[in-house]
Amino acid sequence: MAIEPYRRLLRLPGVRTLLLVGLLARIPATATAMALTLHVVNGLKLGFAEAGVVAMASTIGMAVGSPLSGRFVDKHGLRPVLAVTTVAQAAFWATAWLLPFAALVPAAGVAGLLALPIFSVIRQCLAAMVPVDQRRMGFSLDSMMVELSYMTGPALAVAGITTLGSPWTMTVIAVGLAGAGTALLVLNPPVRSAAEMEEATEKVSRRQWLTPSLIALFGTVTAATFVLTATELSLVATLEHAAQTEWIGLAVGIWCVYSLVGGFVYGGLARGFPTLLLTGLMGALTIPVGLVGGDWRWLVVALLPAGVLCAPALSSSIDTLSRWTPAAARGEAMGLHGTALLIGGAMSAPIAGAVIDAHGPSWAFAVAGLVAVVMVLVALPFWRRTPQREVAPEPEPVNA
């Protein structure tokens, strides 16, 4: 693997700016969940159960809103969607700290529905700006940017709520999201390539591209995020049970670095690997992690094999999605991909938590890995085995 392919990618018009804007825009977006949770607990003086209700409302809103935003981008372009969602996010986060719990829950749901579609838009625009033979590298870089944002955003939210309080922190998030939306509005990256714009733009029927293969891909994506969320919870629980909580931050940070390194190496390889293989291996290598016990050093070592596959598994799924869907429906497809990610995380937290409470964190690692392996086996019969190519738009009937 050489660094030169990455240099060639970043020399493509607009790619470097898009990735940089995407990184900065995602930091306030990744801070939102933690900020809401800590606001309910510290600001409203309620319990984690109430915080979970607010988080659930927000997650449901985002899961529904993500494909809807993508569909509107496909039909009406990027700027109208960005304008509406930017205003909605700025309004919610500038006032959320004033709302009582009864009003915060529905407001969080509406804010989730109108969430700024940063993640899906960046990926959709990368697919339009980067040639097919360089997309895997582009999506690998994007996955690395996502990893960096998740290493930064939640930590800043914790620091903000605990030192400045909810009003200031939520106001800063409002400014950050407004700035992110404005930057994307000004940048206005293309959602289709020049060649795709020249092609027919007739409506593409959903049944043409939402195939069993694509549904299997979404199921695999859900399983991948199930593993990641459960692994994080199990890691924290293991170190808490071993009275090594002071090492949690470092251990999680090292685990994230594994993913960054894996994404960088994978993007530079001469050829990629199937999403099913990467996700299945990540799950299989997660199963035995809990056997090493509670010493944080051995736990970090045990996380290495599965950790380096995190970013490659997710970037491979996005690359596959971009090849299996037509440009005219790519926004909605990317939105459904985002929904699959949210579902995996939302399912994982209560299930892993229940396993940890009943049987200990070692079993939670095993359950998480088994879920991914089983999902891959379920998806295998539906996986597309023919060469990947984009679906052609459905021509309009000719009037007599």
Side-chain angles (χ1 to χ4, degrees):
M1 187 200 72
I3 197 71
E4 183 57 32
Y6 280 101
R7 290 176 177 167
R8 289 198 299 270
L9 174 71
L10 293 175
R11 283 197 290 265
L12 292 174
V15 169
R16 184 182 303 180
T17 303
L18 179 66
L19 289 172
L20 179 59
V21 170
L23 171 62
L24 296 177
R26 282 165 170 151
I27 291 175
T30 56
T32 56
M34 183 65 71
L36 274 177
T37 298
L38 293 180
H39 168 64
V40 172
V41 174
N42 294 345
L44 298 181
K45 306 300 181 184
L46 299 174
F48 281 97
E50 289 84 354
V53 171
V54 175
M56 181 178 66
S58 176
T59 300
I60 292 173
M62 287 190 288
V64 174
S66 182
L68 291 178
S69 294
R71 187 168 178 80
F72 278 115
V73 170
D74 291 333
K75 292 180 65 176
H76 305 293
L78 185 58
R79 278 183 163 165
V81 174
L82 287 175
V84 171
T85 54
T86 298
V87 171
Q89 293 307 296
F92 172 75
W93 286 99
T95 59
W97 59 275
L98 292 167
L99 300 176
F101 177 75
L104 183 62
V105 173
V110 174
L113 185 69
L114 297 175
L116 197 61
I118 299 171
F119 292 83
S120 58
V121 161
I122 297 298
R123 290 160 180 162
Q124 183 179 3
C125 295
L126 268 179
M129 297 167 67
V130 176
V132 174
D133 60 345
Q134 291 179 282
R135 279 184 189 171
R136 178 168 51 82
M137 183 178 296
F139 291 133
S140 294
L141 263 182
D142 179 67
S143 293
M144 293 164 64
M145 299 298 104
V146 171
E147 199 75 60
L148 288 173
S149 67
Y150 272 106
M151 293 170 68
T152 306
L156 291 177
V158 172
I161 294 288
T162 54
T163 59
L164 302 175
S166 297
W168 280 104
T169 302
M170 290 183 158
T171 301
V172 170
I173 290 176
V175 172
L177 290 173
T182 302
L184 286 170
L185 274 165
V186 173
L187 186 62
N188 193 29
V191 294
R192 298 179 192 175
S193 68
E196 290 165 346
M197 291 295 292
E198 292 174 0
E199 294 174 355
T201 58
E202 290 85 359
K203 181 180 179 180
V204 178
S205 171
R206 192 179 286 111
R207 68 175 180 272
Q208 288 182 272
W209 58 269
L210 192 55
T211 60
S213 295
L214 198 58
I215 294 172
L217 174 64
F218 291 144
T220 306
V221 170
T222 297
T225 52
F226 187 101
V227 173
L228 297 181
T229 302
T231 297
E232 183 176 11
L233 291 173
S234 303
L235 171 60
V236 171
T238 300
L239 296 184
E240 282 186 344
H241 287 186
Q244 296 185 7
T245 54
E246 68 273 17
W247 299 108
I248 289 176
L250 179 60
V252 172
I254 293 173
W255 180 49
C256 292
V257 170
Y258 291 160
S259 180
L260 284 171
V261 173
F264 182 80
V265 173
Y266 180 72
L269 295 178
R271 55 171 296 179
F273 296 97
T275 305
L276 288 184
L277 175 63
L278 293 170
T279 305
L281 281 176
M282 183 173 68
L285 293 170
T286 300
I287 293 173
V289 168
L291 298 176
V292 302
D295 189 306
W296 74 273
R297 291 163 293 190
W298 286 112
L299 192 58
V300 164
V301 173
L303 284 169
L304 174 60
V308 296
L309 294 175
C310 296
L314 293 177
S315 62
S316 172
S317 71
I318 302 166
D319 184 31
T320 302
L321 176 66
S322 73
R323 296 169 185 265
W324 284 5
T325 53
R330 192 180 289 146
E332 185 176 1
M334 289 290 181
L336 287 170
H337 184 278
T339 298
L341 292 171
L342 288 168
I343 291 173
M347 291 173 54
S348 181
I351 293 175
V355 173
I356 290 169
D357 290 339
H359 305 289
S362 297
W363 280 102
F365 283 115
V367 169
L370 282 171
V371 166
V373 172
V374 169
M375 183 63 235
V376 165
L377 294 176
V378 170
L380 189 59
F382 303 98
W383 203 254
R384 182 179 298 184
R385 290 175 174 81
T386 55
Q388 296 171 347
R389 60 185 179 87
E390 293 188 347
V391 182
E394 190 178 65
E396 291 183 346
V398 179
N399 296 324

